[in-house]
Amino acid sequence: MSSWKWLPNFIFQICLINHVAIVKSQFPTPIFIHFKCQNNGSYTSNGTYKKNLDALLSSVSPNIDANGFYKAFKGENSDRVNLIALCRADLQPYQCRDYVKNATAEILKKCPYKKQAIIWHEFCMVQYSDVAIFGKVAYSPFDWGYSKENVPDEHKFYHELYILLDSLHNQAAYNRSPKKFAAASRANPDYRTIYAFLQCTPDITPQDCGDCLSRSALEIQHCCRAARGVRILRPSCYLRFETDPFYNETMVETVL
Ligand SMILES: *[C@@H]1O[C@H](CO)[C@@H](O)[C@H](O)[C@H]1NC(C)=O
Ligand SMILES: *[C@@H]1O[C@H](CO)[C@@H](O)[C@H](O)[C@H]1NC(C)=O
Ligand SMILES: *[C@@H]1O[C@H](CO)[C@@H](O)[C@H](O)[C@H]1NC(C)=O
Ligand SMILES: *[C@@H]1O[C@H](CO)[C@@H](O)[C@H](O)[C@H]1NC(C)=O
């Protein structure tokens, strides 16, 4: 037997490892994952709720639409599972499918046997529940994430930040695109440019979207005072700002 037989396979494996490394590098490390498992009902591992949930979760990645939104239910009565998934609006459809795949797998691991759960992944949100969630604005469960670095002058920073957030608020809520979002940056003469991104699930009204974003904007100074990057996470809306670029500016200009 030739000792070179392993070579093609070896080369193939190196390519595979490289490929995996490239795919993985799209994930920022450590990847941002926040989640809430609610204590309002459990399912068993052999029951219908579990079967419905598994079927729904595996249907997200192949079925999420070109706008990065997916809403579906399966089952009836107490076994009915409702699910909503939303990708960040600046993603390409293939990226969205990859990230929701990761998020749906993560949420099952993080919240085993919980009938209601939500995960805010770096680039998407997935939630499911046995109670109705479609078309209803939801401010909770609620969470946040923030940078450990603070801005040098809080007062000046918030002045600039709120000008930026105000300018994006209605753009997101009344966006005529099926993607209910807005993103922009604002030069900050005394410090660093601020980049902000706001998005709602498209199943709620513009008024509800605006309300949700307003609450989130107000929350910044309570949860995350002076942090130079903050995410406010709710089921119906997402607000994030940073002092480094973090979204695809080309894509944002294409869609807005
Ligand atoms: C908790 O679950 C019950 C029954 O499943 C439902 O009626 C109730 O609205 C739920 N509460 C919340 C806060 O979701
Ligand atoms: C599921 O398992 C539990 C405990 O393991 C058992 O009590 C219950 O009857 C089972 N249900 C079904 C539908 O098989
Ligand atoms: C999701 O992606 C992260 C980062 O690549 C990885 O560490 C994690 O294992 C993935 N989760 C699942 C359930 O595949
Ligand atoms: C950003 O969006 C543009 C336009 O859709 C796309 O061509 C480009 O590949 C995207 N960049 C990244 C890093 O995904």
PDB file of all heavy atoms in Angstrom, residues 135-156:
ATOM      1  N   GLY A 135     -47.641  39.992  16.775  1.00  0.00           N
ATOM      2  CA  GLY A 135     -48.296  41.283  16.642  1.00  0.00           C
ATOM      3  C   GLY A 135     -48.479  42.029  17.940  1.00  0.00           C
ATOM      4  O   GLY A 135     -49.174  43.041  17.985  1.00  0.00           O
ATOM      5  N   LYS A 136     -47.881  41.535  19.008  1.00  0.00           N
ATOM      6  CA  LYS A 136     -48.026  42.183  20.318  1.00  0.00           C
ATOM      7  C   LYS A 136     -46.688  42.742  20.736  1.00  0.00           C
ATOM      8  O   LYS A 136     -45.701  42.001  20.778  1.00  0.00           O
ATOM      9  CB  LYS A 136     -48.447  41.156  21.370  1.00  0.00           C
ATOM     10  CG  LYS A 136     -49.800  40.575  21.131  1.00  0.00           C
ATOM     11  CD  LYS A 136     -50.147  39.658  22.287  1.00  0.00           C
ATOM     12  CE  LYS A 136     -51.613  39.255  22.175  1.00  0.00           C
ATOM     13  NZ  LYS A 136     -52.104  38.630  23.382  1.00  0.00           N
ATOM     14  N   VAL A 137     -46.669  44.022  21.068  1.00  0.00           N
ATOM     15  CA  VAL A 137     -45.399  44.590  21.521  1.00  0.00           C
ATOM     16  C   VAL A 137     -45.052  44.001  22.893  1.00  0.00           C
ATOM     17  O   VAL A 137     -45.932  43.842  23.740  1.00  0.00           O
ATOM     18  CB  VAL A 137     -45.453  46.137  21.557  1.00  0.00           C
ATOM     19  CG1 VAL A 137     -46.457  46.649  22.568  1.00  0.00           C
ATOM     20  CG2 VAL A 137     -44.072  46.725  21.810  1.00  0.00           C
ATOM     21  N   ALA A 138     -43.809  43.619  23.080  1.00  0.00           N
ATOM     22  CA  ALA A 138     -43.355  43.071  24.359  1.00  0.00           C
ATOM     23  C   ALA A 138     -42.072  43.773  24.781  1.00  0.00           C
ATOM     24  O   ALA A 138     -41.101  43.817  24.026  1.00  0.00           O
ATOM     25  CB  ALA A 138     -43.134  41.570  24.240  1.00  0.00           C
ATOM     26  N   TYR A 139     -42.117  44.373  25.976  1.00  0.00           N
ATOM     27  CA  TYR A 139     -40.939  45.078  26.493  1.00  0.00           C
ATOM     28  C   TYR A 139     -40.096  44.166  27.385  1.00  0.00           C
ATOM     29  O   TYR A 139     -38.961  44.475  27.691  1.00  0.00           O
ATOM     30  CB  TYR A 139     -41.377  46.314  27.291  1.00  0.00           C
ATOM     31  CG  TYR A 139     -42.281  47.237  26.515  1.00  0.00           C
ATOM     32  CD1 TYR A 139     -43.569  47.538  26.953  1.00  0.00           C
ATOM     33  CD2 TYR A 139     -41.843  47.793  25.311  1.00  0.00           C
ATOM     34  CE1 TYR A 139     -44.389  48.374  26.229  1.00  0.00           C
ATOM     35  CE2 TYR A 139     -42.660  48.628  24.586  1.00  0.00           C
ATOM     36  CZ  TYR A 139     -43.938  48.918  25.047  1.00  0.00           C
ATOM     37  OH  TYR A 139     -44.747  49.739  24.328  1.00  0.00           O
ATOM     38  N   SER A 140     -40.713  43.078  27.846  1.00  0.00           N
ATOM     39  CA  SER A 140     -39.972  42.151  28.689  1.00  0.00           C
ATOM     40  C   SER A 140     -40.246  40.725  28.212  1.00  0.00           C
ATOM     41  O   SER A 140     -41.257  40.487  27.557  1.00  0.00           O
ATOM     42  CB  SER A 140     -40.402  42.318  30.145  1.00  0.00           C
ATOM     43  OG  SER A 140     -41.730  41.861  30.284  1.00  0.00           O
ATOM     44  N   PRO A 141     -39.389  39.753  28.509  1.00  0.00           N
ATOM     45  CA  PRO A 141     -38.159  39.888  29.295  1.00  0.00           C
ATOM     46  C   PRO A 141     -37.175  40.875  28.658  1.00  0.00           C
ATOM     47  O   PRO A 141     -37.174  41.055  27.439  1.00  0.00           O
ATOM     48  CB  PRO A 141     -37.574  38.478  29.314  1.00  0.00           C
ATOM     49  CG  PRO A 141     -38.263  37.727  28.243  1.00  0.00           C
ATOM     50  CD  PRO A 141     -39.569  38.379  28.013  1.00  0.00           C
ATOM     51  N   PHE A 142     -36.378  41.432  29.524  1.00  0.00           N
ATOM     52  CA  PHE A 142     -35.573  42.574  29.155  1.00  0.00           C
ATOM     53  C   PHE A 142     -34.161  42.334  29.663  1.00  0.00           C
ATOM     54  O   PHE A 142     -33.965  41.758  30.731  1.00  0.00           O
ATOM     55  CB  PHE A 142     -36.261  43.782  29.801  1.00  0.00           C
ATOM     56  CG  PHE A 142     -35.412  44.975  30.006  1.00  0.00           C
ATOM     57  CD1 PHE A 142     -34.910  45.659  28.928  1.00  0.00           C
ATOM     58  CD2 PHE A 142     -35.136  45.421  31.284  1.00  0.00           C
ATOM     59  CE1 PHE A 142     -34.128  46.776  29.123  1.00  0.00           C
ATOM     60  CE2 PHE A 142     -34.368  46.541  31.479  1.00  0.00           C
ATOM     61  CZ  PHE A 142     -33.861  47.221  30.398  1.00  0.00           C
ATOM     62  N   ASP A 143     -33.187  42.732  28.872  1.00  0.00           N
ATOM     63  CA  ASP A 143     -31.798  42.546  29.307  1.00  0.00           C
ATOM     64  C   ASP A 143     -30.935  43.611  28.632  1.00  0.00           C
ATOM     65  O   ASP A 143     -31.432  44.389  27.812  1.00  0.00           O
ATOM     66  CB  ASP A 143     -31.321  41.137  28.920  1.00  0.00           C
ATOM     67  CG  ASP A 143     -30.204  40.635  29.826  1.00  0.00           C
ATOM     68  OD1 ASP A 143     -29.714  41.401  30.685  1.00  0.00           O
ATOM     69  OD2 ASP A 143     -29.804  39.476  29.675  1.00  0.00           O
ATOM     70  N   TRP A 144     -29.675  43.647  28.990  1.00  0.00           N
ATOM     71  CA  TRP A 144     -28.774  44.613  28.372  1.00  0.00           C
ATOM     72  C   TRP A 144     -27.353  44.084  28.411  1.00  0.00           C
ATOM     73  O   TRP A 144     -27.063  43.127  29.126  1.00  0.00           O
ATOM     74  CB  TRP A 144     -28.862  45.961  29.101  1.00  0.00           C
ATOM     75  CG  TRP A 144     -28.479  45.870  30.546  1.00  0.00           C
ATOM     76  CD1 TRP A 144     -27.202  45.856  31.061  1.00  0.00           C
ATOM     77  CD2 TRP A 144     -29.364  45.747  31.658  1.00  0.00           C
ATOM     78  NE1 TRP A 144     -27.255  45.727  32.426  1.00  0.00           N
ATOM     79  CE2 TRP A 144     -28.578  45.668  32.830  1.00  0.00           C
ATOM     80  CE3 TRP A 144     -30.761  45.714  31.785  1.00  0.00           C
ATOM     81  CZ2 TRP A 144     -29.132  45.532  34.093  1.00  0.00           C
ATOM     82  CZ3 TRP A 144     -31.300  45.574  33.055  1.00  0.00           C
ATOM     83  CH2 TRP A 144     -30.494  45.505  34.184  1.00  0.00           C
ATOM     84  N   GLY A 145     -26.519  44.722  27.628  1.00  0.00           N
ATOM     85  CA  GLY A 145     -25.092  44.418  27.654  1.00  0.00           C
ATOM     86  C   GLY A 145     -24.372  45.739  27.473  1.00  0.00           C
ATOM     87  O   GLY A 145     -24.901  46.639  26.829  1.00  0.00           O
ATOM     88  N   TYR A 146     -23.175  45.884  28.059  1.00  0.00           N
ATOM     89  CA  TYR A 146     -22.477  47.154  27.887  1.00  0.00           C
ATOM     90  C   TYR A 146     -20.968  46.983  27.975  1.00  0.00           C
ATOM     91  O   TYR A 146     -20.463  46.026  28.565  1.00  0.00           O
ATOM     92  CB  TYR A 146     -22.964  48.198  28.891  1.00  0.00           C
ATOM     93  CG  TYR A 146     -22.787  47.802  30.342  1.00  0.00           C
ATOM     94  CD1 TYR A 146     -21.623  48.101  31.028  1.00  0.00           C
ATOM     95  CD2 TYR A 146     -23.797  47.125  31.021  1.00  0.00           C
ATOM     96  CE1 TYR A 146     -21.462  47.736  32.351  1.00  0.00           C
ATOM     97  CE2 TYR A 146     -23.652  46.756  32.345  1.00  0.00           C
ATOM     98  CZ  TYR A 146     -22.473  47.068  32.993  1.00  0.00           C
ATOM     99  OH  TYR A 146     -22.321  46.687  34.299  1.00  0.00           O
ATOM    100  N   SER A 147     -20.282  47.931  27.398  1.00  0.00           N
ATOM    101  CA  SER A 147     -18.826  47.952  27.414  1.00  0.00           C
ATOM    102  C   SER A 147     -18.341  48.352  28.805  1.00  0.00           C
ATOM    103  O   SER A 147     -18.954  49.190  29.460  1.00  0.00           O
ATOM    104  CB  SER A 147     -18.354  48.967  26.376  1.00  0.00           C
ATOM    105  OG  SER A 147     -17.053  49.377  26.666  1.00  0.00           O
ATOM    106  N   LYS A 148     -17.246  47.753  29.224  1.00  0.00           N
ATOM    107  CA  LYS A 148     -16.686  48.105  30.537  1.00  0.00           C
ATOM    108  C   LYS A 148     -15.950  49.441  30.483  1.00  0.00           C
ATOM    109  O   LYS A 148     -15.591  50.001  31.506  1.00  0.00           O
ATOM    110  CB  LYS A 148     -15.728  47.007  31.015  1.00  0.00           C
ATOM    111  CG  LYS A 148     -16.377  45.640  31.194  1.00  0.00           C
ATOM    112  CD  LYS A 148     -17.222  45.577  32.481  1.00  0.00           C
ATOM    113  CE  LYS A 148     -17.899  44.232  32.640  1.00  0.00           C
ATOM    114  NZ  LYS A 148     -19.119  44.083  31.802  1.00  0.00           N
ATOM    115  N   GLU A 149     -15.708  49.919  29.259  1.00  0.00           N
ATOM    116  CA  GLU A 149     -15.015  51.209  29.133  1.00  0.00           C
ATOM    117  C   GLU A 149     -16.012  52.352  29.182  1.00  0.00           C
ATOM    118  O   GLU A 149     -17.075  52.287  28.565  1.00  0.00           O
ATOM    119  CB  GLU A 149     -14.273  51.277  27.800  1.00  0.00           C
ATOM    120  CG  GLU A 149     -12.945  50.562  27.824  1.00  0.00           C
ATOM    121  CD  GLU A 149     -12.303  50.584  26.450  1.00  0.00           C
ATOM    122  OE1 GLU A 149     -12.001  51.685  25.936  1.00  0.00           O
ATOM    123  OE2 GLU A 149     -12.111  49.500  25.880  1.00  0.00           O
ATOM    124  N   ASN A 150     -15.644  53.392  29.904  1.00  0.00           N
ATOM    125  CA  ASN A 150     -16.530  54.544  30.030  1.00  0.00           C
ATOM    126  C   ASN A 150     -16.092  55.695  29.134  1.00  0.00           C
ATOM    127  O   ASN A 150     -14.930  55.780  28.753  1.00  0.00           O
ATOM    128  CB  ASN A 150     -16.559  55.019  31.484  1.00  0.00           C
ATOM    129  CG  ASN A 150     -17.456  54.148  32.343  1.00  0.00           C
ATOM    130  OD1 ASN A 150     -18.054  53.194  31.853  1.00  0.00           O
ATOM    131  ND2 ASN A 150     -17.551  54.468  33.613  1.00  0.00           N
ATOM    132  N   VAL A 151     -17.042  56.564  28.846  1.00  0.00           N
ATOM    133  CA  VAL A 151     -16.728  57.765  28.075  1.00  0.00           C
ATOM    134  C   VAL A 151     -16.122  58.803  29.029  1.00  0.00           C
ATOM    135  O   VAL A 151     -16.425  58.788  30.223  1.00  0.00           O
ATOM    136  CB  VAL A 151     -17.990  58.329  27.385  1.00  0.00           C
ATOM    137  CG1 VAL A 151     -18.555  57.300  26.404  1.00  0.00           C
ATOM    138  CG2 VAL A 151     -19.048  58.732  28.399  1.00  0.00           C
ATOM    139  N   PRO A 152     -15.281  59.678  28.503  1.00  0.00           N
ATOM    140  CA  PRO A 152     -14.623  60.640  29.398  1.00  0.00           C
ATOM    141  C   PRO A 152     -15.592  61.700  29.940  1.00  0.00           C
ATOM    142  O   PRO A 152     -15.483  62.099  31.092  1.00  0.00           O
ATOM    143  CB  PRO A 152     -13.545  61.279  28.515  1.00  0.00           C
ATOM    144  CG  PRO A 152     -13.922  60.967  27.107  1.00  0.00           C
ATOM    145  CD  PRO A 152     -14.756  59.737  27.128  1.00  0.00           C
ATOM    146  N   ASP A 153     -16.526  62.140  29.090  1.00  0.00           N
ATOM    147  CA  ASP A 153     -17.452  63.190  29.522  1.00  0.00           C
ATOM    148  C   ASP A 153     -18.887  62.738  29.242  1.00  0.00           C
ATOM    149  O   ASP A 153     -19.403  62.886  28.134  1.00  0.00           O
ATOM    150  CB  ASP A 153     -17.141  64.497  28.782  1.00  0.00           C
ATOM    151  CG  ASP A 153     -17.989  65.653  29.284  1.00  0.00           C
ATOM    152  OD1 ASP A 153     -19.113  65.414  29.798  1.00  0.00           O
ATOM    153  OD2 ASP A 153     -17.536  66.807  29.155  1.00  0.00           O
ATOM    154  N   GLU A 154     -19.491  62.209  30.271  1.00  0.00           N
ATOM    155  CA  GLU A 154     -20.818  61.618  30.166  1.00  0.00           C
ATOM    156  C   GLU A 154     -21.844  62.608  29.613  1.00  0.00           C
ATOM    157  O   GLU A 154     -22.628  62.286  28.724  1.00  0.00           O
ATOM    158  CB  GLU A 154     -21.223  61.227  31.590  1.00  0.00           C
ATOM    159  CG  GLU A 154     -22.225  60.150  31.714  1.00  0.00           C
ATOM    160  CD  GLU A 154     -22.532  59.946  33.194  1.00  0.00           C
ATOM    161  OE1 GLU A 154     -21.601  59.709  33.990  1.00  0.00           O
ATOM    162  OE2 GLU A 154     -23.705  60.058  33.543  1.00  0.00           O
ATOM    163  N   HIS A 155     -21.826  63.821  30.162  1.00  0.00           N
ATOM    164  CA  HIS A 155     -22.823  64.818  29.797  1.00  0.00           C
ATOM    165  C   HIS A 155     -22.768  65.136  28.297  1.00  0.00           C
ATOM    166  O   HIS A 155     -23.776  65.099  27.601  1.00  0.00           O
ATOM    167  CB  HIS A 155     -22.595  66.077  30.637  1.00  0.00           C
ATOM    168  CG  HIS A 155     -23.614  67.133  30.394  1.00  0.00           C
ATOM    169  ND1 HIS A 155     -24.891  67.047  30.895  1.00  0.00           N
ATOM    170  CD2 HIS A 155     -23.556  68.270  29.656  1.00  0.00           C
ATOM    171  CE1 HIS A 155     -25.578  68.102  30.487  1.00  0.00           C
ATOM    172  NE2 HIS A 155     -24.803  68.849  29.733  1.00  0.00           N
ATOM    173  N   LYS A 156     -21.568  65.401  27.809  1.00  0.00           N
ATOM    174  CA  LYS A 156     -21.396  65.722  26.386  1.00  0.00           C
ATOM    175  C   LYS A 156     -21.740  64.517  25.511  1.00  0.00           C
ATOM    176  O   LYS A 156     -22.344  64.656  24.457  1.00  0.00           O
ATOM    177  CB  LYS A 156     -19.938  66.124  26.107  1.00  0.00           C
ATOM    178  CG  LYS A 156     -19.670  67.583  26.330  1.00  0.00           C
ATOM    179  CD  LYS A 156     -18.301  67.926  25.744  1.00  0.00           C
ATOM    180  CE  LYS A 156     -17.835  69.291  26.216  1.00  0.00           C
ATOM    181  NZ  LYS A 156     -16.365  69.398  26.198  1.00  0.00           N
TER     182      LYS A 156
END
